[in-house]
Structure formats: C-alpha cells, structure tokens
Amino acid sequence: MIRLNNVVKRYDNFCLECSMEIPAGQVTGLIGRNGAGKSTAFKAILGLIRTDGGTIEVFGKDAAALTQADREQIGVVLSDSGFCSYLTIRDYLPVLSAMYADFSRDKFTADCDRMGLPLKKKIKEFSTGMKRKLQILAALSHNARLLVLDEPTAGLDVVARDELLGLLREYAEDGERSIVISSHISSDLEGICDDVYMIENGKIVLHEDTDVLLNEYGLLKVTKDQFAQLDQTYLLRTKEESFGYSCLTNQRQFYQDNYPSVVIERGSIDEVITLMSKH
C-alpha cells in the first residue's frame, strides 16, 4: 500500500532518512518523540513536501504519479490541518460531495450525530476535541483504501478516543484497507496497530510487530552489581538510573529464566520510546 525506500528530506537542522512499508490490510503505528520526523514522513508520503532522494510508492505507483482518483482513495488527518472556522458542517457537505466521488453524505451526517457534532454550529465554536472528531470523520467519509493519521486522538478525552478507535477498527475490518497512524498515547497504538516503526532524529531505529513488542520485550531494572553480572547479548538500550540501570530487551523470557532475582517488567510502547531515544 505504501513503500518508502531510502527517502531523504533535508532541512537546516534536521534530515529525514527513512525506509518503511505498510502492506494492504495492515494498521501500522509510527512512534517517536516530538520533532523525531513523524509529520515529515507523513507529508512526504502525501506529496506535501519535495524530497531530496529515495522513492515513495503509494498503491504500487510512484507517489508523484497518483491521479485524482487515486488521491480520493486516501483519507488524511494532519495535526496542522483543519476546517474553516466560520463555516458549519452543513456548509461543508456540498464541498465534500464535490471533492470525493464516493462521499457518503448519510453515513457522514449519521457519524457526526453519533459523535455529538452539531451540523448547524460554526466550527469556530467547537472544542479542540470536536474539531479533531470532524477531521477524522471527514477522512472516513469517502470509502478510502488508505488512512494517513497524524496524532488523530490528540485533544480527545478517554471516551471520545475509545469511540474513534472503534471507528478505525471497523474501517480496517475488511482486511483490504490500511492505516498508518502516529500518536503520543501508547494505549491507542497498542490497541489497534499490527506493527510499529520508531523514528528518532529522522531515522527508523526499530520496526516490530506490536504483539512481539508487548509479549517478548521487557524492561530490566538492575543495580550496578546485577548489571555487571548480566549477559548483555540481548540488551537493546541501557539507561543509567539512580538505583543502577534500566535495560530494554527483546528477549524478556531469557532474562526471566536466567536471572530470577532481577526485576523485569513487560515492554510497552512508552518504554520503547524512552529507552530507544538517544540521550
């Protein structure tokens, strides 16, 4: 569905160098700190920035060769995009209908009602969470084959996040559609993504199936004496702490079997971000 091969984008103080692949029927998460390169990668995929090297394919085509019909098959939510605040959702219905040949007015308005979005109220009166709901529902409204979602649940409370993640799960159920999604809320990604890429300083530093990350990764918390006696073959990252060291491993079972006295916690996306980030 999407393939980035050695894609390069240079700025004065930052350089994206990225390869990743999102197959059909897959929900892929892109994780990393603020400024790591997530939004830059999304903008490169969508052709919103000119890259300096590498290739980008979407739907098996060079991204630059996508037709209007191809682009209508992509639903997008970017953190810095939005709707004109002086219009209402009802004002936007003919706009969306003109933009997308497969726009479903009935489904879109029903979803707006389900999410508590009034059709006649000006968007400038919406809360941040309501605006984000509108962005996501618009992205889902035209039967796209691919969703590109940059921080789609930002600004939403727990209930609204669960509702929208439920919509995304429904969208992906047919096994033919794909989603690439970034979020700072690790539970969102853990609950929906098949795999995750981690980006740090513009480079992919980790790619792992979500199940493997949650079931096989672990965080060791060891004293300095324990660390000195530890087999470090399967340690991915080590961070010095006041008590000794925190160590990220992708072989939790090995350390549980061989070092029963060591404190070992299950892995999580938050821990991967923290330990894989350079200090």
Side-chain angles (χ1 to χ4, degrees):
M1 193 70 81
I2 299 175
R3 181 180 289 112
L4 280 69
N5 185 32
N6 297 320
V7 172
V8 176
K9 175 61 181 178
R10 297 185 185 90
Y11 294 100
D12 289 343
N13 299 310
F14 176 80
C15 182
L16 177 75
E17 298 178 71
C18 180
S19 294
M20 59 188 296
E21 184 170 353
I22 295 92
Q26 191 99 335
V27 181
T28 293
L30 184 61
I31 63 175
R33 298 184 293 179
N34 284 336
K38 301 188 299 295
S39 295
T40 303
F42 282 177
K43 289 176 181 177
I45 291 168
L46 297 169
L48 298 177
I49 56 175
R50 186 186 298 273
T51 56
D52 300 309
T55 60
I56 302 173
E57 293 180 11
V58 180
F59 305 140
K61 300 180 179 181
D62 187 304
L66 293 179
T67 65
Q68 178 60 34
D70 291 329
R71 293 187 181 280
E72 288 188 21
Q73 292 298 306
I74 306 174
V76 179
V77 173
L78 297 179
S79 58
D80 55 359
S81 65
F83 291 79
C84 176
S85 61
Y86 290 94
L87 299 180
T88 66
I89 294 177
R90 177 162 290 179
D91 292 331
Y92 267 104
L93 294 177
V95 176
L96 292 169
S97 183
M99 287 176 63
Y100 301 111
D102 207 13
F103 174 67
S104 174
R105 180 185 180 118
D106 290 343
K107 182 180 185 305
F108 177 67
T109 54
D111 285 342
C112 286
D113 182 63
R114 174 179 167 186
M115 290 291 161
L117 301 180
L119 299 184
K120 299 180 182 179
K121 191 174 183 179
K122 287 186 177 181
I123 294 169
K124 69 176 182 178
E125 299 174 33
F126 284 13
S127 67
T128 299
M130 292 170 71
K131 291 175 183 176
R132 186 51 54 122
K133 289 182 188 180
L134 177 57
Q135 287 178 292
I136 296 171
L137 293 182
L140 291 169
S141 69
H142 51 94
N143 198 30
R145 292 166 55 200
L146 169 66
L147 294 184
V148 178
L149 309 176
D150 190 11
E151 298 285 350
T153 59
L156 301 183
D157 59 34
V158 173
V159 173
R161 288 209 315 272
D162 285 345
E163 289 172 341
L164 285 169
L165 290 170
L167 285 176
L168 296 179
R169 290 188 190 97
E170 291 173 13
Y171 166 90
E173 273 178 357
D174 71 352
E176 299 294 326
R177 298 163 170 167
S178 297
I179 303 174
V180 56
I181 177 173
S182 73
S183 177
H184 284 104
I185 304 168
S186 63
S187 58
D188 290 353
L189 298 183
E190 290 172 1
I192 194 173
C193 290
D194 298 299
D195 65 336
V196 294
Y197 285 86
M198 181 177 175
I199 190 167
E200 173 70 15
N201 292 330
K203 296 178 176 62
I204 300 297
V205 296
L206 177 75
H207 176 219
E208 192 63 88
D209 288 347
T210 308
D211 286 345
V212 171
L213 191 153
L214 297 178
N215 294 318
E216 298 182 18
Y217 278 58
L219 184 68
L220 285 63
K221 296 185 175 180
V222 296
T223 65
K224 291 184 178 180
D225 288 342
Q226 288 174 321
F227 182 76
Q229 300 173 30
L230 204 62
D231 183 339
Q232 300 181 27
T233 305
Y234 305 112
L235 299 184
L236 302 177
R237 286 288 190 276
T238 299
K239 180 183 178 184
E240 190 167 5
E241 307 276 12
S242 58
F243 56 81
Y245 297 93
S246 292
C247 308
L248 182 70
T249 179
N250 59 356
Q251 299 290 334
R252 188 179 77 243
Q253 192 63 49
F254 170 83
Y255 290 101
Q256 287 178 332
D257 292 343
N258 292 283
Y259 300 92
S261 63
V262 168
V263 175
I264 305 175
E265 300 174 352
R266 281 183 173 270
S268 73
I269 289 177
D270 281 341
E271 287 162 357
V272 168
I273 292 174
T274 300
L275 270 296
M276 292 296 289
S277 297
K278 296 176 181 177
H279 299 282

